[in-house]
Amino acid sequence: MSSATSTTSLPSGLAVLTTFPDVLFIPEIIFGGLVWILVASSKVQLPMLQGWVMFVSVFCFVMSIALLCLYICGAHGGSSSWVTLDVICQETASLFYLSMAVLEAYSTYISFGPANAAMMTVYQENVAAVVFAFLATLMYVIHKVYSLLRWKSS
């Protein structure tokens, strides 16, 4: 895989799936989809929190798929403004996912806690959602850092 600092523009076509950090779109989509599924199937005591968690997971899932498809189709045409757009999207997703993961973890802890054995299945689903939310956050942060390096070198 080529490094982010060796290329100053975004790849197009299937080269998107072979360059770093663009290959991180795949785990971002997978982990984001898992968060979306787990939160949608679990019981959350605070509806406002569940609304934010669902918004972030759906928004970032759709945004990542849309960017990946646009890059594969070559819609960016080698323009440097797309490098800036990539940085903005990754920064937004990183901040959204970090806030969502922390809120989901806190809500899981105060709503269920490990002492409530009757709700153990729901608790385990929420813990899994928290784990995948933090993994998605990590993927978006790594992607953001390397996108910033690519932006700086362009």
Side-chain angles (χ1 to χ4, degrees):
M1 292 183 180
S2 64
S3 73
T5 57
S6 66
T7 60
T8 59
S9 65
L10 295 166
S12 59
L14 293 179
V16 173
L17 301 176
T18 62
T19 58
F20 194 78
D22 302 311
V23 74
L24 291 175
F25 276 123
I26 304 302
E28 290 168 2
I29 291 168
I30 291 170
F31 292 145
L34 286 171
V35 171
W36 181 9
I37 291 167
L38 287 167
V39 170
S41 68
S42 67
K43 182 178 183 195
V44 176
Q45 302 293 333
L46 306 168
M48 191 69 158
L49 173 74
Q50 186 173 15
W52 176 248
V53 171
M54 288 300 291
F55 168 76
V56 169
S57 60
V58 171
F59 173 77
C60 292
F61 183 82
V62 170
M63 179 191 67
S64 294
I65 288 181
L67 280 176
L68 180 63
C69 290
L70 287 170
Y71 294 163
I72 288 175
C73 292
H76 53 82
S79 172
S80 64
S81 61
W82 281 82
V83 176
T84 306
L85 176 69
D86 187 49
V87 170
I88 291 169
C89 289
Q90 299 309 320
E91 177 70 28
T92 303
S94 298
L95 290 173
F96 277 10
Y97 252 102
L98 181 61
S99 70
M100 180 266 286
V102 169
L103 288 173
E104 179 69 15
Y106 179 71
S107 171
T108 299
Y109 179 73
I110 64 168
S111 297
F112 303 106
N116 191 352
M119 301 284 289
M120 189 53 75
T121 303
V122 176
Y123 178 71
Q124 290 172 345
E125 286 178 359
N126 283 358
V127 168
V130 169
V131 169
F132 286 120
F134 278 109
L135 285 173
T137 303
L138 179 65
M139 293 298 114
Y140 279 111
V141 167
I142 292 169
H143 196 158
K144 175 190 73 160
V145 168
Y146 283 96
S147 293
L148 281 168
L149 291 174
R150 179 170 36 204
W151 175 69
K152 184 180 176 185
S153 68
S154 66

